[in-house]
Amino acid sequence: MGGQSHATLLFFGPALMFWYPFLMKSVARYPIPARESRIEYPVSDSRFIATGAYTPSVERAEDFLERVRGEFAAATHNCVAWRIGYQKRVNERMSDDGEPSGTAGRPMLAVLQGQDIGDVAVVVTRYFGGTKLGMGGLVRAYSGAVRDLLKSMPLTMRVERARHRLVVDYPRYEMIKRFIEEREGKIKEEQFAAEITLDFSLPVDRIELFEAELTQLTHGQIATSPLAHAPH
């Protein structure tokens, strides 16, 4: 269901972009941001704005970063951290965007690493107010902005699904349809002929139990056949 990527170090002007080797083996379900969120986090006379979003791919994360940078083009810094994937199976990136090395992107990423959340990107925008915060002050400001953002960010579950098909006779149609829906299945297509063909999706972590229960329910008379993976 996935493959390996190779470690790469990329430098973009003053910002260090760090990519880490990762194994994108699929995790069946995990928490993700339910929607884009934003908070303001004033520190001294500087204004910090933290924006976070669901980013299931590197391309989506890069698009999000560019959009936020465009929105706050006049800001002093737009620092970034993201984790694509979940737990240890992740692609991580961070950027100090001109702040002293290690004072922005790294502490932001450390906060993300300590949370039970995946497929998330965060940009912390700073408008400098004139007072220097020092190395420790910057670390506290950027990490604090991300922590406050995550506290207010609503979450939902990313569920990997797979498409399946089965054929059922008319007398058992309603029973089988209800059986599918009660197990988090989603009916995608129904074809009515001499018998009824149902195309549906199931969470991949429910397939084995679903098939065992279906065999027991129908005494082995109805079986499923896999089609393809479906979006969550």
Side-chain angles (χ1 to χ4, degrees):
M1 288 187 290
Q4 292 184 345
S5 73
H6 301 284
T8 309
L9 284 173
L10 300 176
F11 293 87
F12 291 78
L16 169 65
M17 306 301 189
F18 178 68
W19 294 63
Y20 178 122
F22 66 102
L23 177 64
M24 289 301 287
K25 182 179 177 182
S26 177
V27 179
R29 62 178 73 210
Y30 54 86
I32 58 172
R35 57 174 173 79
E36 187 168 313
S37 300
R38 175 173 291 168
I39 60 106
E40 292 205 23
Y41 189 82
V43 177
S44 186
D45 52 2
S46 284
R47 179 184 174 207
F48 291 82
I49 304 166
T51 309
Y54 169 59
T55 52
S57 67
V58 170
E59 292 76 18
R60 288 274 294 275
E62 289 174 339
D63 289 346
F64 166 71
L65 171 58
E66 289 308 309
R67 177 166 57 79
V68 175
R69 280 179 169 169
E71 182 179 356
F72 297 109
T76 316
H77 307 280
N78 284 291
C79 304
V80 65
W82 76 47
R83 284 171 57 85
I84 310 302
Y86 183 60
Q87 294 180 343
K88 294 182 179 180
R89 303 183 181 110
V90 294
N91 180 334
E92 295 181 332
R93 174 174 168 178
M94 60 188 177
S95 165
D96 293 316
D97 193 37
E99 292 282 29
S101 179
T103 62
R106 187 172 297 279
M108 290 167 61
L109 182 59
V111 174
L112 296 183
Q113 290 170 334
Q115 301 297 310
D116 187 27
I117 187 172
D119 293 341
V120 59
V122 174
V123 178
V124 177
T125 301
R126 182 189 183 192
Y127 286 92
F128 179 60
T131 301
K132 293 184 178 181
L133 301 179
M135 300 281 280
L138 288 171
V139 169
R140 289 190 293 273
Y142 280 100
S143 60
V146 176
R147 273 193 292 269
D148 275 16
L149 173 68
L150 295 181
K151 287 177 184 176
S152 67
M153 178 182 284
L155 301 180
T156 187
M157 292 297 293
R158 181 192 186 279
V159 180
E160 185 180 357
R161 307 181 71 87
R163 290 286 292 267
H164 281 254
R165 173 176 292 169
L166 62 76
V167 178
V168 61
D169 53 36
Y170 280 82
R172 290 185 288 188
Y173 163 67
E174 290 293 342
M175 177 188 72
I176 294 298
K177 185 174 180 179
R178 186 165 55 250
F179 175 84
I180 292 170
E181 292 172 343
E182 287 173 351
R183 286 151 181 82
E184 296 186 65
K186 297 180 180 179
I187 305 295
K188 299 297 184 180
E189 187 177 350
E190 299 174 297
Q191 300 176 31
F192 295 88
E195 294 183 300
I196 304 167
T197 300
L198 296 178
D199 287 359
F200 59 99
S201 70
L202 281 174
V204 297
D205 58 355
R206 296 291 179 90
I207 292 171
E208 186 175 350
L209 179 60
F210 177 90
E211 291 177 340
E213 291 179 335
L214 180 64
T215 297
Q216 183 177 23
L217 178 67
T218 66
H219 306 287
Q221 296 174 344
I222 298 176
T224 69
S225 57
L227 296 176
H229 285 287
H232 68 278

